[in-house]
Amino acid sequence: MTARKAHQALHRDLERVLVSQQAITRRIRLLGKEISQTYGDREITVVAIINGAILFTADLLRQIASPIRLDCIRVSSYLHETSSLGPPRILDTMRIDLENRDVLLIDDILDTGKTLSAVVEVIRKLKPASLRTCVLLDKKGRREVEFEADFVGFRIPDRFVVGYGLDFAERYRNLPCIGILKPDLQNPPEWA
Ligand code: IMP
Ligand code: MG
C-alpha cells in the first residue's frame, strides 16, 4: 500500500480534520522564528516528551536557527483511554545535564496540564538557567492544573484528536494532519 492510500484509510477514521498539514507547516515556521528570536545565539537545551512530541519536535527544530542540544523524557501515557487516570509518572528521564542551561520543554498537547506541570517540577529541581514550554496544541477548556505554555501552535476545542504525533492506543501518529477521531472508533474491541 502506498503512503497516500494508507493516509486515506486513516482519514476515514476521522469525524473531521481540525488542522490541515499545510496549516501545521505554516504555523511551525512561525513558531521557529519566534523561538529563534527569543533565544538568539544562546544554546537551547530541548527536552521533548515522547512519544507524542516526536513529530512536532522533529519539524520544529529544523525551523529554529539557534544552536540546540536535544534530549527526551518519557511520561506515562493514557494507554487505551482518552483521558488520563492517575497522576503522570516519569518512565524514563533525561540523560544530558540541564543545570544552568536554557531549557525548552516540548509536548504535543496541553490538556489538563498535569503532564507539563509534573515535568516542569522535575526539571526545575535540576536548576536550569531558564525554562520555557512549547506545545503544538492547547485545549484550554480542559485545564485541571493552572498552566500556560510560552509558545503555542493552535488553541483547539475540547475534543479528542489524533494525528501528527498524537495517538489513540499508539495508532494514528503518522497522519499528516490533526483530526477528531470518530467516537465509535475510540474503543474498538480488537484493540483491547
Ligand atoms: P495533560 O497531562 O492532561 O495535559 O495531557 C497531556 C498528554 O495527554 C499529552 O502529552 C498527550 O499525550 C495526551 N493527550 C491529551 N489530549 C489528547 C488528545 O486529544 N489526543 C491524544 N492525546 C492527548
Ligand atoms: Mg499520548
Side-chain angles (χ1 to χ4, degrees), residues 51-52 77-78 108 165-167 170 173:
N51 298 326
S77 74
Y78 289 4
D108 51 0
L166 290 121
D167 71 305
E170 294 305 324
R173 292 199 199 270

Side-chain angles (χ1 to χ4, degrees), residues 49 52 77-78 82 84 88 107-116 139 142 156 159-162 166-168 173:
I49 302 181
S77 74
Y78 289 4
T82 53
S84 64
D107 203 0
D108 51 0
I109 185 167
L110 178 51
D111 186 25
T112 65
K114 289 180 190 168
T115 304
L116 271 176
K139 266 195 232 172
R142 294 243 320 154
I156 61 161
R159 298 296 306 273
F160 191 78
V161 291
V162 293
L166 290 121
D167 71 305
F168 174 70
R173 292 199 199 270

Side-chain angles (χ1 to χ4, degrees), residues 49-50 74-79 84 86-92 115:
I49 302 181
I50 53 174
R74 186 185 288 272
V75 183
S76 59
S77 74
Y78 289 4
L79 293 176
S84 64
R89 284 178 305 123
I90 311 292
L91 302 178
D92 188 20
T115 304

